[in-house]
Amino acid sequence: MPHPPVVTLVQSPACHLCLDAEQALAELAARFPVEVRTVQLDSEEGRALVALHRPPMSPLALVDGVFLSSGRLPRKKLAALLAGRAAAMAAG
């Protein structure tokens, strides 16, 4: 059976787009099976992810380790992706 997607949010301190993304992910997690991880930019993992993906702004959002966005979280795009994954999980 497929696993719920993991959304990783790499955020920096005092970042209003990061707070907005956290709120959006909480709302999406209430609607879809998803695991949400937050990683601080100044952590070892955060620095490694930023070095790998080179986002122009925070937050960096990944789905199962694949780049989704940087900056404002694309709610509709992510909701469509999670809906598709949820349907695939339900189909088994």
Side-chain angles (χ1 to χ4, degrees), residues 12-79:
S12 57
C15 166
H16 72 282
L17 291 177
C18 300
L19 295 174
D20 180 68
E22 276 190 275
Q23 180 182 5
L25 287 171
E27 292 167 6
L28 289 169
R31 294 173 43 207
F32 301 105
V34 61
E35 179 184 333
V36 177
R37 294 183 62 239
T38 57
V39 176
Q40 295 304 312
L41 179 67
D42 60 358
S43 70
E44 186 176 334
E45 181 182 6
R47 287 190 297 273
L49 290 170
V50 166
L52 178 64
H53 295 283
R54 298 282 184 206
M57 59 190 311
S58 292
L60 166 64
L62 309 170
V63 177
D64 289 334
V66 177
F67 179 87
L68 172 71
S69 68
S70 72
R72 184 168 300 281
L73 188 73
R75 286 170 165 77
K76 289 181 183 177
K77 178 180 179 180
L78 183 54

